[in-house]
RNA sequence: GCGAGAGUGGCGAAACGGCAGACGCACCAGACUUAGGAUCUGGCGGGGCAACCCGUGGGGGUUCAAGUCCCCCCUCUCGCACCA
């Protein structure tokens, strides 16, 4: 390695020590000052930070530092999303206890983050695996239980064999585990759910208020929640009581097309429907139907990729049409989703494509009841799915679809056979995990009293340290005698403690509240005054991969806490920046591809400032960033040049003279001064608008180029030169300090500024922005022909007169008649011409 | 299939409807050097000796003026995907 261009290593160490001893970034709520809460998604302590973290945190730090200089009281915390599977895997593989593994990872990663010079208030650091944090997970869980928002049910669940745990729907991608990528299978289990669907409507409605969120993320959440308005309609099984069993069977279907009700020719239910057993028992088709169900469920675990062909089986049962009383066959269909709507659909082959395909295959009748309003489409091969006018629908015939939906629903309501209903694609959040390294769910199963919540006073339910990791299946908690076997809090008889732990997404659903208002060891999770001062998060920054999971759960949790009177806001994140990925050779960095760039090496080679500057400069924050080893050197050279030129300045003028240049500037000096102040405007605008960090840095590079050119001039009078260059470099360093804080601090010191990061953000001198002359663009028929330099206030006539002196303009106007001139003051003159006749 | 976003030099990228390619990388030439893979200076979309001409995925349109606005098409990325 060649000699460094500047001693970044010494500089960065010294400056970081200074920040540390000054406690430079500690914050307290202060109602006399405007606040700004800048937050980056906290990392999972996997062991080392990667370039994605570097990018995420460089962006956040630039914003935090900028806002501080703009006079805001800035909260900028950092912590650790410390529960999770890898810790357990490490324990199994290498015999290290998850707690130990996690702690040492945190220590190492914290050091890495500090080496980057990120301006965090480390006093607020939290790790979700510490009892002082997760006790509140348990406390919230008990509150949710009280409110009926947490419940236990038996359900067919996504099970990942390799992680040996269940997964929430959001955590299954393409039928595979979001974490390890192995195939997810379905399994019936009893587990805890949070009633996020109770908040579906609010979460949906809240999206429209999130103007500071990328459209993309809002759309993804909207698609995930997917509200759909329709009707729930009852079809009674015929005969209503099957055989000698007393329970009457009524099946409910959900439909958005109540207007097609008279076109129903069959009803289809999901193979896993809970009433299936009851229906099939004793049916002449029982055997066939059961075979079909078994086959279907088996297939479902494998395929998952492609849409399978529609298949079904007759149940041998009939249902009654709610309005006509007609008998209709009840089928089982592989295409009916059990967990959506009611798990039963009415089959209208004439007006629904899926029903149509199903009817074709099994020879079920097709009955048209909607006439298209426009021209009829080619009938026969497809269903007519558009709205239209009803016919053959008793008294509803002649109505348009929309009216008919309301009217038919009303009719059903009056007969108590239906009602309007809103359904969501979103399903309740399954939070039980059959793992050790997570928050114990604070309930006790008592054979006499049932499910008993752990009394609040007994919290936290501590994770026992002394557990054995077998490496195969199940949580070690189940085999821990003193943990799992406890007296029932109510009857004191022997009971079994819940050994499942919580999904770690619970941990990250409220950490931003804890940062802002954490209590040391209190009876409540937050100090309310602190929360109401700091919340909401003004700027949240993280990867788009959390667009649904973490961001939806956090919104849900915040609303629940709001309703519990614990959160001052309903929406936690005011503006959201989803940063792009860091790519290398056109692909995401990964060990398997061997294209990872190690932040530690980079920092050792170029220094933290260079690494930060490059990641911010090379692409806009929300776009993917292609890593280029060579391009990093550009940022490095820039800082090296800056260092060299400030040194040259100090050699030329060891004593600072005067604060600003006198009034008599040479033309070159005036141009430079105007460049300096234009840069202030540009950088400020770029940062204020859309965090355009890349163009802000480009402006700073331009300023250094301009300063360098001026510095190289000889013959400029020293009384102008010295203060002007000083002003220029100080401005540059101040504007640079959010991006490359160490070198800015150091060179600022050399120029006599103690802590440059505490200065107020520079304000442009309006006088320096006033231009003596500007270059007018001269177009002929919209094509550039010349530029002329005149005072900005010049009139159209002035500009045209001057333009006509230009030989290119003269040539272009030869033999032409000027029809009109378009004049943009201070900018442009476009002469519209036509050949003279 | 539905939804969202994106297509600009060799590359990363800039451009309130007003000079396309700022800034950086790579490359080329020169300077300083025993040397340079260090540094500094200059050049750098394509064609043409030049005047000029052509250029922002393709095709239309609006406008004095279009990368930018409108319509159609193509390609790519991401998300959802039998949701009744």
């Amino acid at each position: 390695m060649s000699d460094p261009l500047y001693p970044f290593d010494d500089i960065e160490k010294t400056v970081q020590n200074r920040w540390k001893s000054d406690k430079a970034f500690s914050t307290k709520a202060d109602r006399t000052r405007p606040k700004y809460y800048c937050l980056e998604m906290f990392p999972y302590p996997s062991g080392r930070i990667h370039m994605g973290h570097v990018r995420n945190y460089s962006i956040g730090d630039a914003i935090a530092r900028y806002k501080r200089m703009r006079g805001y009281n800035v909260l900028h915390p950092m912590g650790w999303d410390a529960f999770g599977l890898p810790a357990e895997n490490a324990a199994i593989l290498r015999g290290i206890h998850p707690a130990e593994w996690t702690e040492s990872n945190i220590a190492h990663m914290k050091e890495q983050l500090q080496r980057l010079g990120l301006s965090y208030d480390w006093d607020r650091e939290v790790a979700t695996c510490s009892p002082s944090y997760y006790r509140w997970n348990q406390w919230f869980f008990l509150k949710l239980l009280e409110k009926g928002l947490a419940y236990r049910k038996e359900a067919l669940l996504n099970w990942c064999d390799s992680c040996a745990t269940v997964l929430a729907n959001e955590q299954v991608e393409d039928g595979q585990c979001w974490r390890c990528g192995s195939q997810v299978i379905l399994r019936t289990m009893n587990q805890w759910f949070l009633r996020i669907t109770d908040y579906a409507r609010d979460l949906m409605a809240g999206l429209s208020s999130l103007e500071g969120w990328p459209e993309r993320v809002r759309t993804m959440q909207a698609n995930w929640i997917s509200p759909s308005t329709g009707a729930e309609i009852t079809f009674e099984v015929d005969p209503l009581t099957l055989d000698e069993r007393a329970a009457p069977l009524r099946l409910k279907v959900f439909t958005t097309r109540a207007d097609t009700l008279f076109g129903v020719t069959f009803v289809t239910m999901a193979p896993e429907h809970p009433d299936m057993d009851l229906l099939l028992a004793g049916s002449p088709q029982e055997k066939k139907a059961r075979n079909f169900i078994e086959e279907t469920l088996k297939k479902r675990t494998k395929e998952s990729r492609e849409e399978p062909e529609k298949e079904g089986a007759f149940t041998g049962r009939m249902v009654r049409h709610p309005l006509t009383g007609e008998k209709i066959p009840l089928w089982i269909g592989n295409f009916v989703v059990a967990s959506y709507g009611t798990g039963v659909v009415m089959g209208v082959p004439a007006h629904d494509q899926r029903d149509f395909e199903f009817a074709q295959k099994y020879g079920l009748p097709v009955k048209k009841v909607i006439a298209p309003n426009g021209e009829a489409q080619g009938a026969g091969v497809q269903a007519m799915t558009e709205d239209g006018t009803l016919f053959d629908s008793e008294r509803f015939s002649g109505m348009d679809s929309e009216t008919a939906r309301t009217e038919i629903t009303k009719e059903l309501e009056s007969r108590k056979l239906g009602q309007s209903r809103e359904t969501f694609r979103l399903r309740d959040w399954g939070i039980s995990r059959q793992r050790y390294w997570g928050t114990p769910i604070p309930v006790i199963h008592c054979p006499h009293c049932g499910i008993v919540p752990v009394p609040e006073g007994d919290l936290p339910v501590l994770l026992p340290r002394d557990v054995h990791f077998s490496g195969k299946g199940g949580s070690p908690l189940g085999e821990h005698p003193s943990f799992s076997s406890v007296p029932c809090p109510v009857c004191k008889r022997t009971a079994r403690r819940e050994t499942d732990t919580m999904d770690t997404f619970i941990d990250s659903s409220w950490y931003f509240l804890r940062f802002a208002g954490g209590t040391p060891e209190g009876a409540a999770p937050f100090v309310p005054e602190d929360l109401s001062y700091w919340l909401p998060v003004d700027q949240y920054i993280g990867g788009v991969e959390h667009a649904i999971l973490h961001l939806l759960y956090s919104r849900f949790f915040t609303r629940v806490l709001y309703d519990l009177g614990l959160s001052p806001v309903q929406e936690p994140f005011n503006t959201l920046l989803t940063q792009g990925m860091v790519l290398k050779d056109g692909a995401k960095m990964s060990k398997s591809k061997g294209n990872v760039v190690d932040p530690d090496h980079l920092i050792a080679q170029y220094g933290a400032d260079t690494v930060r500057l490059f990641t911010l400069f090379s692409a806009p924050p929300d776009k993917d960033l292609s890593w280029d080893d060579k391009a990093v050197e550009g940022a490095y050279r820039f800082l090296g040049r800056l260092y060299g030129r400030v040194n040259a300045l100090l050699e030329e003028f060891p004593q600072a003279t005067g604060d600003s240049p006198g009034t008599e500037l040479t033309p070159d000096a005036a141009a430079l001064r105007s460049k300096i102040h234009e840069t202030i405007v540009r950088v400020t605008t770029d940062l204020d608008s859309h965090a355009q960090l890349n163009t802000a840095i480009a402006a700073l590079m331009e300023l250094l180029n301009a300063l360098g050119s001026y510095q190289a001039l000889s013959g400029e009078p020293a009384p102008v030169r010295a203060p002007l260059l000083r002003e220029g470099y100080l401005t540059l360093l101040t504007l640079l300090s959010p991006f490359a804080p160490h070198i800015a601090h150091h060179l600022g010191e050399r120029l006599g500024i103690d802590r440059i990061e505490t200065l107020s953000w520079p304000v442009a001198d309006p006088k320096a922005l006033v231009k003596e002359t500007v270059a007018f663009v001269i177009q002929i028929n919209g094509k550039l022909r010349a530029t002329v330099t005149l005072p900005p206030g010049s009139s159209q006539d002035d500009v045209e007169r001057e333009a006509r002196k230009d030989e290119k303009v003269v040539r272009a106007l030869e033999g032409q008649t000027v029809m009109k001139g378009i004049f943009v003051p201070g900018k442009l003159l476009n002469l519209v011409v036509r050949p003279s006749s």
Side-chain angles (χ1 to χ4, degrees):
Chain A
M1 201 194 303
S2 50
D3 286 342
L5 295 181
Y6 75 100
F8 56 82
D9 208 37
D10 283 352
I11 292 173
E12 291 179 359
K13 281 198 180 102
T14 310
V15 173
Q16 282 167 13
N17 285 337
R18 175 74 194 277
W19 288 336
K20 204 168 183 179
S21 61
D22 283 0
K23 279 203 166 271
F25 308 113
S26 297
T27 345
K28 272 210 268 293
D30 175 357
R31 295 199 169 267
T32 64
R33 295 176 59 202
K35 66 92 184 182
Y36 193 87
Y37 187 174
C38 179
L39 182 68
E40 299 110 54
M41 291 180 184
F42 67 167
Y44 177 78
S46 58
R48 313 182 65 76
I49 61 166
H50 53 68
M51 287 313 296
H53 293 128
V54 172
R55 189 173 191 204
N56 191 173
Y57 303 151
S58 297
I59 295 167
D61 202 48
I63 294 171
R65 286 174 179 272
Y66 169 64
K67 292 291 177 181
R68 253 181 227 121
M69 295 173 85
R70 288 299 295 262
Y72 289 94
N73 187 26
V74 172
L75 175 58
H76 190 217
M78 183 42 73
W80 311 97
D81 189 10
F83 270 140
L85 216 38
E88 258 175 275
N89 293 339
I92 294 162
L93 282 172
R94 296 191 272 151
I96 312 168
H97 193 276
E100 227 171 87
W101 185 82
T102 305
E103 276 155 30
S104 80
N105 284 351
I106 288 176
H108 181 244
M109 288 171 76
K110 184 170 177 180
E111 206 182 294
Q112 287 185 299
L113 293 186
Q114 282 172 331
R115 214 172 306 148
L116 277 167
L118 301 166
S119 64
Y120 294 125
D121 179 357
W122 284 108
D123 294 345
R124 293 173 186 263
E125 178 180 4
V126 299
T128 57
C129 63
S130 76
S132 61
Y133 187 88
Y134 71 69
R135 69 167 293 171
W136 299 113
N137 281 347
Q138 297 173 337
W139 192 76
F140 295 140
F141 181 87
L142 294 179
K143 299 282 161 206
L144 288 165
L145 198 59
E146 247 169 61
K147 291 213 126 201
L149 288 169
Y151 66 98
R152 196 168 160 82
K153 78 167 178 200
E154 174 124 316
L156 206 56
L157 294 165
N158 309 300
W159 174 265
C160 172
D161 233 356
S162 116
C163 298
T165 189
V166 295
L167 300 168
N169 296 313
E170 291 81 0
Q171 294 159 12
V172 180
E173 296 166 351
D174 271 346
Q176 299 174 336
C177 172
W178 72 290
R179 191 177 266 290
C180 72
S182 46
Q183 191 69 44
V184 168
I185 59 175
L186 295 171
R187 218 171 128 164
T188 308
M189 297 190 70
N190 212 344
Q191 81 149 343
W192 289 98
F193 286 86
L194 299 189
R195 243 180 251 286
I196 192 171
T197 50
D198 272 16
Y199 282 78
R201 190 190 303 260
D202 291 348
L203 289 169
M204 188 70 199
L207 283 178
S208 57
S209 72
L210 297 177
E211 280 155 28
W213 283 38
E215 194 57 43
R216 186 154 77 112
V217 175
R218 291 202 278 171
T219 310
M220 280 165 73
Q221 291 214 351
N223 287 344
W224 192 263
I225 300 168
S226 270
S228 143
T229 330
E232 202 172 75
I233 303 175
T234 303
F235 285 75
E236 295 183 341
V237 176
D238 183 84
L240 191 53
T241 46
L242 291 171
D243 304 325
E244 58 281 355
R245 278 188 307 273
L249 262 176
R250 296 188 172 85
L251 290 176
K252 286 178 176 174
V253 307
F254 174 75
T255 180
T256 54
R257 293 298 303 274
D259 54 317
T260 63
L261 184 57
F262 290 88
V264 175
T265 56
F266 57 96
V267 168
T268 325
M269 56 198 298
E272 327 74 305
H273 194 279
D275 289 338
M276 189 64 76
D277 275 340
L278 216 50
L279 277 162
L280 292 183
S283 155
Q285 305 285 327
E286 179 167 2
K287 205 160 194 171
K288 266 173 108 178
R290 286 198 193 277
N291 280 343
F292 170 76
I293 293 170
E294 202 180 309
E295 285 298 303
T296 306
L297 293 182
K298 212 183 285 169
K299 265 189 226 160
R300 192 170 291 176
T301 61
K302 289 195 222 126
E303 295 174 24
S304 80
R305 245 316 1 173
E306 289 293 304
E307 207 171 283
E309 202 188 327
K310 286 177 189 47
E311 283 173 351
F314 180 46
T315 57
R317 304 292 183 194
M318 302 299 275
V319 294
R320 248 178 220 292
H321 190 283
L323 295 184
T324 65
E326 207 181 328
K327 282 191 187 178
I328 293 169
L330 177 64
W331 283 69
I332 307 165
N334 64 343
F335 64 98
V336 182
V337 180
S339 48
Y340 182 77
T342 59
V344 188
V345 296
M346 59 186 212
V348 187
H351 304 293
D352 181 284
Q353 190 56 31
R354 294 158 302 202
D355 297 342
F356 181 81
E357 287 168 29
F358 193 73
Q360 291 280 301
K361 177 153 182 172
Y362 295 103
L364 295 159
V366 176
K367 188 182 169 205
K368 291 187 189 176
V369 289
I370 310 282
N373 287 333
E375 72 266 32
Q377 346 158 290
V381 286
Q382 274 194 331
M384 200 299 279
T385 56
E386 256 112 275
D387 277 6
T389 307
L390 276 70
F391 63 93
D392 285 350
S393 299
E394 299 187 352
R395 70 174 178 89
F396 305 98
S397 297
M399 288 184 190
D400 61 89
S401 289
E402 209 178 315
T403 318
R405 281 195 279 271
T406 324
E407 291 304 315
I408 290 178
T409 307
K410 264 194 215 162
E411 175 66 30
L412 290 165
E413 250 166 68
S414 72
R415 298 191 192 197
K416 303 232 182 309
L417 287 171
Q419 58 189 353
S420 67
R421 188 184 144 183
E422 194 175 21
T423 303
F424 299 90
R425 202 189 82 116
L426 180 73
R427 289 170 231 158
D428 278 343
W429 176 14
I431 57 152
S432 302
R433 295 292 179 274
Q434 293 68 44
R435 307 299 311 188
Y436 165 72
W437 195 231
T439 305
I441 295 173
V443 298
I444 290 163
H445 301 272
C446 171
H448 311 281
C449 313
I451 290 173
V452 182
V454 172
E456 243 181 66
D458 292 353
L459 297 186
V461 176
L462 288 171
L463 264 185
R465 277 293 283 243
D466 53 334
V467 286
H468 174 69
F469 294 94
S470 62
K472 265 291 161 217
S475 155
L477 288 179
E479 284 136 41
H480 190 283
S482 66
F483 180 81
S484 62
S485 173
V486 284
C488 165
V490 177
C491 71
K492 310 296 174 200
R493 280 184 278 188
T494 306
R496 190 176 56 79
R497 190 190 289 285
E498 170 74 62
T499 54
D500 281 356
T501 52
M502 295 184 200
D503 184 1
T504 56
F505 277 101
I506 301 262
D507 310 344
S508 52
S509 290
W510 62 280
Y511 77 107
F512 39 90
L513 295 167
R514 184 71 180 176
F515 276 148
T519 51
E521 274 303 331
F526 314 119
V527 178
E529 303 80 60
D530 287 348
L531 280 197
S532 63
Y533 175 70
W534 289 116
L535 267 285
V537 174
D538 293 279
Q539 178 69 65
Y540 196 33
I541 308 152
V544 74
E545 66 272 18
H546 293 107
I548 295 174
L549 294 166
H550 163 59
L551 289 169
L552 187 63
Y553 294 146
S554 296
R555 292 183 61 222
F556 164 59
F557 229 80
T558 303
R559 276 170 189 272
V560 171
L561 296 185
Y562 177 87
D563 290 345
L564 288 168
L566 291 165
S567 164
V569 292
Q570 290 184 291
E571 288 291 345
F573 311 123
N574 196 33
T575 52
L576 173 69
L577 177 68
T578 48
Q579 111 246 7
M581 286 187 297
V582 182
L583 308 176
K584 177 91 193 290
D585 312 320
K588 193 177 172 176
M589 287 186 187
S590 73
K591 272 186 213 143
S592 58
K593 293 197 189 81
N595 62 348
V596 273
V597 175
D598 177 26
D600 282 351
H601 290 159
L602 281 169
I603 293 171
Q605 194 174 355
Y606 299 111
D609 282 339
T610 293
V611 176
R612 295 171 53 139
L613 195 69
F614 174 74
T615 58
L616 298 176
F617 170 68
S618 209
D622 54 331
K623 287 228 225 154
D624 286 350
L625 168 73
S626 320
W627 190 265
D628 180 350
D629 290 328
K630 296 295 277 192
V632 184
E633 308 226 355
Y636 182 52
R637 281 199 286 259
F638 167 73
L639 295 179
R641 263 197 304 273
L642 174 64
Y643 185 83
R645 285 183 189 162
V646 171
N647 275 334
L649 174 65
L650 284 164
E651 249 167 62
E652 191 181 348
F653 304 108
Q655 298 297 319
T657 53
D659 274 349
S660 62
T663 43
E664 280 148 65
L665 297 182
T666 61
D668 283 328
L672 177 61
R673 186 144 197 280
S674 134
K675 182 78 182 176
I676 293 166
H677 288 265
E678 271 167 24
T679 305
I680 296 174
V681 173
R682 276 178 65 186
V683 173
T684 309
T685 316
D686 284 348
L687 291 180
D688 281 342
S689 58
H690 299 96
Q692 306 249 34
L693 309 180
N694 56 328
T695 49
I697 293 166
L700 295 177
M701 290 176 167
E702 277 185 56
L703 179 56
L704 179 64
N705 292 344
L707 283 165
S709 306
Y710 181 83
Q711 213 167 355
L713 292 178
S714 52
E716 287 286 302
V720 171
R721 183 178 165 86
L724 178 61
L725 283 173
R726 200 183 128 80
E727 181 190 16
Y729 279 108
L730 267 181
T731 306
L732 175 54
L733 291 169
T734 313
L735 299 176
L736 180 68
S737 70
F739 313 113
H742 307 91
I743 193 173
H745 178 104
H746 171 78
L747 293 177
E749 240 169 26
R750 306 268 308 272
L751 289 173
I753 301 297
D754 180 33
R755 291 175 299 160
I756 202 164
E757 62 276 357
T758 65
L759 293 187
S760 288
W761 192 251
V763 176
D765 176 0
K767 277 182 296 202
L769 295 175
V770 175
K771 294 254 168 93
E772 303 257 311
T773 58
V774 296
F776 280 85
V777 171
I778 308 301
Q779 297 180 335
I780 313 274
N781 281 351
K783 291 205 168 156
L784 175 73
R785 281 296 176 263
T787 58
V788 299
T789 305
L790 286 172
S794 303
S795 70
Q796 180 170 352
D797 288 345
D798 293 342
V799 176
E800 185 166 345
R801 201 173 310 119
E802 190 64 25
R804 284 175 180 281
K805 291 181 192 162
D806 187 290
E807 74 173 276
K808 287 187 179 182
V809 175
V810 172
R811 207 179 310 130
L813 289 178
E814 257 166 38
Q816 308 285 324
T817 307
V818 175
M819 305 304 292
K820 63 171 167 176
I822 308 288
F823 183 64
V824 182
K827 266 195 169 167
L828 163 145
L829 175 66
N830 184 12
L831 296 173
V832 184
V833 303
R834 196 165 78 184
S836 312
S837 45

